[in-house]
Amino acid sequence: MHEMDKLYVVLDSLPQMSKDIVDDTIHEKVLSYLSEYASQGPDMIATFMEWNVMKIIRACIIQENGCNEIETGHECIKDSRITSLAIRFLARLLANDDRQRALLFNQIIYDYNDVLDFILDNAFSEEGLMRYSCIEALEQIVTYELGAKWFHNTKGAQVVVACFLDSSTYVASAASRLLLSIINHSTFINTTKTTAQNDLLEFLISTLDLFNKIQEMLFNPRKDIGQRLSALQFILTLASSKTTNAFEFLKRGQLLTRIDVLLAERDRVMRSRVNDILCAVFEWASDPISLLKGASYTNDPIIETFDFVITDIVFLLLHNDTSFDMVVVSVNVLESLILLVKRASNDQEKLVSRIMDILIFLLSFLKIRQQAEKSINKLSVYDNPDVNSLYTNGTYDKLRTLFLNVRCNTYNEKSLLSNILHSISTISLEFNSINAITASTDAICDILFVPNYVADHRILKAVLSVIPIVLSAKITNSLIKEKQTINEILETIQKLMKDTQTECQSIAILLETMQKLLADNTTGQYILDNKYGDEWADVLLCKVHDFRWEIRDSILEFADKLFDESNNTGVGVNFALRFGLPQMIVSKISDDTAYVRASCLKAIKVFVNIITIIILLMQNNFRI
């Protein structure tokens, strides 16, 4: 059967889909199949119209209220899944119709007005899927001039209110996109030009007192948590859209001027949603401070926003803290600031250092907690006015009391540590700020040397993710005077590898770190030039005979990556050849475990390819 013939058969058979289908994913697959063709654009929409697509969609919809079998030619089957499928497919068709001529929507508004009425009425349906489908269709309908007028003159305001108060998060998300669609298709900025969408939006703002209603849903603690999350979802939808109209709507309604207050909410989902909003604003808003503070007072809104977030958000979270949660939130906000720093035209290294110093300041409290240093006067910090202010305003004393509180459980402590390390790792990967990276070495090493921490493979992975970057930076900048610190790190990795109590998952993490260190020219050569080459090779040769097959398999995968040209610069291959890793690989070809034998064959294949390349290069040199 021809491809288009098959498409027509599927489309024409929609009203006849069996109500006895148990697997709901079948309907999703049919929708996906039809939508793939609809996405091809106006020409394909015209083809659908030639096939009387609206008559078929009406047959799917009217069957819910008792279809006319003579008129439609189809058996009347009452199944809301078919109705929802048809409405969602209609939304896809409208999204890809010719916007200038609007042939499909004009046909709907004049010849299939009962379909529009059905969609509007069922936006209030008891069934969540039906409400979601109808709102998805309305999202596309309001993008048309005639559609916006129709929505304005019917139950538009009622739909918007009902959807925002909906108990279903999916429906509330669809409502956010519906309102965003109206905002983006209005002349929100150019008020001298009036469109149907602009009239509709102004009607909603005035009739519903929209801005105040959203503010009330956000900041009234007596409101249902679902409603508050719906309001946050709407703001996140606006912030993530990255459109000028969305920016102006947020600014006009001052919807973000108190958003930081919600970071101190008890509900973890609310805090996370607010941080997502901040991330979206930091990433694209041209003047983020005007959204957060209501106005901009300098020529550099990026720097002004950065200062505001540090002093008015992060420091307040730390100063008013009564639990680990607020410290974790402050760390998340600091990590979000990285998006803002990337947009700074200058002083990026200075901004990165400010973030890093605060993170190290917080990291040092975990050392206090581990060592119970209750009589400490002042932590070792850098020349950073941000950190120094934390001492003078009493934040340090509050945090010390918090961290030494015996009621703080180990889970919270480790969660905070993981967050801090993740932020440091993200900064280290995003920015080549040598001062910021090398300054963190001692604080990170302190964590690596705490047995209680490294026993947790999540923390171990977080710590070791930064180690290769830190060591490379220190060696590159001739900070070999700190050789003792570098050696301690390398020895600790070796010690953890040799420890029989180290779990298989932690061994894999350690091997990954070793591979990264050897793959880097700087750290790899340092290891080869010192005793660590021999010592690490001895550990590998010993562990390849470990009774745990997972560890033997990990060792072979490590050797495989050393020979993988994309993973190293040559030092890794040098290490492998110098210390007999090929012989080690071959020796495991008859291992008892099939997984190990498979990893062995894979490593041999990579090794042979490398040797072949080396031989060819040598032959070419001889010819020259």
Side-chain angles (χ1 to χ4, degrees):
M1 183 182 293
H2 190 272
E3 183 180 352
M4 296 303 289
D5 293 335
K6 178 183 176 182
L7 175 63
Y8 176 77
V9 169
V10 172
L11 176 66
D12 191 53
S13 302
L14 279 183
Q16 302 175 25
M17 285 186 72
S18 174
K19 66 179 180 180
D20 297 326
I21 296 174
V22 178
D23 186 2
D24 291 340
T25 61
I26 298 296
H27 298 81
E28 293 297 324
K29 290 175 182 176
V30 172
L31 175 62
S32 177
Y33 173 74
L34 294 172
S35 299
E36 183 179 352
Y37 285 94
S39 64
Q40 294 179 11
D43 290 342
M44 193 65 223
I45 304 302
T47 301
F48 279 122
M49 292 179 66
E50 291 175 5
W51 292 345
N52 294 317
V53 66
M54 284 309 304
K55 185 176 180 180
I56 296 171
I57 289 175
R58 174 192 267 168
C60 294
I61 290 176
I62 301 304
Q63 52 107 5
E64 192 71 0
N65 295 328
C67 65
N68 186 328
E69 296 182 34
I70 298 176
E71 178 185 346
T72 62
H74 294 298
E75 179 186 358
C76 183
I77 304 171
K78 295 182 178 180
D79 188 342
S80 61
R81 296 175 300 176
I82 299 174
T83 306
S84 299
L85 189 163
I87 293 173
R88 294 175 67 191
F89 177 51
L90 177 59
R92 307 297 198 281
L93 293 171
L94 290 171
N96 293 280
D97 192 16
D98 187 331
R99 290 287 164 176
Q100 297 297 324
R101 296 186 294 169
L103 297 178
L104 177 61
F105 188 77
N106 286 333
Q107 184 185 58
I108 296 171
I109 199 75
Y110 293 118
D111 300 330
Y112 293 90
N113 209 264
D114 54 342
V115 172
L116 293 178
D117 293 338
F118 181 90
I119 290 172
L120 193 63
D121 291 338
N122 283 270
F124 305 95
S125 170
E126 292 183 1
E127 189 174 353
L129 178 59
M130 184 64 72
R131 298 197 304 274
Y132 178 85
S133 303
C134 292
I135 296 168
E136 191 174 38
L138 289 171
E139 177 188 348
Q140 298 302 325
I141 289 171
V142 296
T143 63
Y144 295 87
E145 279 277 322
L146 288 176
K149 288 179 181 179
W150 167 81
F151 191 69
H152 185 179
N153 296 327
T154 52
K155 302 176 184 177
Q158 296 177 40
V159 171
V160 172
V161 172
C163 293
F164 270 108
L165 302 179
D166 202 287
S167 58
S168 169
T169 55
Y170 292 105
V171 175
S173 297
S176 298
R177 295 194 298 273
L178 168 60
L179 193 48
L180 175 64
S181 183
I182 297 171
I183 292 169
N184 281 340
H185 287 83
S186 70
T187 56
F188 198 75
I189 303 172
N190 182 12
T191 56
T192 59
K193 181 182 178 183
T194 301
T195 64
Q197 288 87 354
N198 195 70
D199 292 339
L200 172 60
L201 181 59
E202 293 299 334
F203 169 75
L204 293 175
I205 291 174
S206 59
T207 303
L208 303 179
D209 195 14
L210 196 56
F211 293 132
N212 287 333
K213 186 176 289 293
I214 294 172
Q215 294 273 11
E216 184 185 4
M217 290 170 65
L218 282 175
F219 299 105
N220 188 345
R222 292 189 296 274
K223 287 287 185 181
D224 178 72
I225 186 66
Q227 293 183 19
R228 302 182 74 192
L229 287 173
S230 295
L232 276 176
Q233 179 60 46
F234 169 60
I235 292 179
L236 178 59
T237 301
L238 288 179
S240 302
S241 68
K242 301 181 181 180
T243 65
T244 305
N245 275 14
F247 177 90
E248 291 298 327
F249 186 88
L250 289 169
K251 186 176 179 180
R252 176 176 163 184
Q254 296 187 331
L255 299 179
L256 295 181
T257 53
R258 294 191 295 149
I259 200 75
D260 55 288
V261 174
L262 301 180
L263 288 168
E265 283 284 337
R266 291 184 179 181
D267 188 82
R268 179 179 57 82
V269 179
M270 283 196 71
R271 298 196 303 264
S272 176
R273 195 69 55 82
V274 172
N275 193 55
D276 290 340
I277 292 170
L278 290 176
C279 285
V281 170
F282 293 160
E283 187 176 10
W284 70 273
S286 58
D287 189 7
I289 190 64
S290 66
L291 294 180
L292 299 176
K293 205 173 180 180
S296 180
Y297 302 99
T298 68
N299 294 326
D300 194 337
I302 300 299
I303 299 299
E304 186 178 354
T305 305
F306 184 93
D307 291 335
F308 171 77
V309 172
I310 291 291
T311 57
D312 289 53
I313 297 181
V314 173
F315 283 3
L316 286 179
L317 285 169
L318 294 175
H319 186 73
N320 296 321
D321 181 52
T322 56
S323 69
F324 270 96
D325 287 342
M326 294 303 101
V327 182
V328 172
V329 173
S330 68
V331 172
N332 292 339
V333 174
L334 285 171
E335 184 173 335
S336 302
L337 270 177
I338 296 171
L339 295 169
L340 192 66
V341 174
K342 290 167 68 174
R343 298 175 56 204
S345 55
N346 41 41
D347 290 333
Q348 278 195 359
E349 184 170 323
K350 180 181 177 181
L351 299 178
V352 170
S353 296
R354 288 175 64 183
I355 296 174
M356 189 73 85
D357 287 350
I358 298 172
L359 290 172
I360 295 170
F361 170 80
L362 295 174
L363 199 60
S364 301
F365 280 99
L366 291 165
K367 179 181 177 182
I368 293 177
R369 180 167 168 79
Q370 283 294 314
Q371 300 178 356
E373 298 179 19
K374 298 183 180 181
S375 60
I376 190 166
N377 293 321
K378 189 173 182 179
L379 298 173
S380 175
V381 296
Y382 314 99
D383 186 17
N384 185 327
D386 296 322
V387 176
N388 290 332
S389 67
L390 292 174
Y391 286 102
T392 58
N393 65 12
T395 301
Y396 168 75
D397 294 326
K398 286 191 173 186
L399 289 174
R400 184 175 63 176
T401 302
L402 171 67
F403 277 80
L404 291 177
N405 190 334
V406 293
R407 290 180 298 175
C408 294
N409 59 51
T410 304
Y411 173 79
N412 288 336
E413 178 185 355
K414 289 185 176 180
S415 296
L416 172 60
L417 177 56
S418 297
N419 274 43
I420 294 174
L421 291 172
H422 183 271
S423 299
I424 292 176
S425 176
T426 303
I427 291 172
S428 302
L429 292 170
E430 287 283 353
F431 301 97
N432 186 26
S433 178
I434 302 302
N435 292 336
I437 293 172
T438 56
S440 64
T441 306
D442 293 337
I444 295 171
C445 290
D446 288 340
I447 300 301
L448 186 62
F449 302 146
V450 177
N452 184 37
Y453 287 152
V454 295
D456 188 318
H457 66 266
R458 294 169 301 177
I459 293 178
L460 179 64
K461 184 172 184 177
V463 175
L464 292 178
S465 66
V466 188
I467 292 299
I469 305 169
V470 169
L471 293 189
S472 180
K474 294 181 81 67
I475 296 171
T476 300
N477 288 272
S478 302
L479 297 176
I480 304 300
K481 60 184 178 181
E482 300 181 21
K483 194 173 181 180
Q484 181 180 354
T485 302
I486 298 173
N487 292 343
E488 283 179 356
I489 294 174
L490 298 176
E491 287 170 2
T492 300
I493 293 173
Q494 178 185 330
K495 180 180 177 182
L496 291 171
M497 279 289 298
K498 292 172 67 176
D499 191 347
T500 56
Q501 300 299 315
T502 305
E503 297 179 355
C504 299
Q505 194 167 1
S506 296
I507 290 288
I509 295 169
L510 289 163
L511 286 169
E512 182 181 353
T513 304
M514 292 169 68
Q515 185 269 322
K516 289 179 180 178
L517 290 170
L518 289 168
D520 183 83
N521 264 335
T522 304
T523 54
Q525 198 59 51
Y526 182 84
I527 291 168
L528 286 180
D529 292 342
N530 290 276
K531 63 178 182 176
Y532 303 106
D534 285 305
E535 292 179 352
W536 282 17
D538 289 341
V539 174
L540 294 171
L541 293 170
C542 176
K543 284 292 181 181
V544 81
H545 299 290
D546 196 284
F547 70 93
R548 293 166 289 186
W549 71 265
E550 296 97 332
I551 291 182
R552 301 198 301 274
D553 189 62
S554 296
I555 297 291
L556 292 173
E557 287 184 359
F558 163 80
D560 177 9
K561 289 179 180 178
L562 286 183
F563 286 115
D564 188 345
E565 186 179 3
S566 63
N567 285 330
N568 70 79
T569 55
V571 180
V573 174
N574 192 1
F575 172 86
L577 296 176
R578 181 185 296 185
F579 298 109
L581 263 59
Q583 294 92 318
M584 177 194 76
I585 296 171
V586 174
S587 70
K588 303 308 295 179
I589 194 69
S590 58
D591 194 276
D592 295 336
T593 304
Y595 289 108
V596 178
R597 295 196 299 271
S599 295
C600 178
L601 290 172
K602 184 173 180 291
I604 289 174
K605 180 181 177 181
V606 175
F607 168 66
V608 169
N609 289 338
I610 289 291
I611 296 301
T612 303
I613 292 172
I614 292 174
I615 292 173
L616 290 174
L617 289 174
M618 292 175 63
Q619 289 176 346
N620 287 335
N621 286 336
F622 283 133
R623 287 173 188 167
I624 292 172

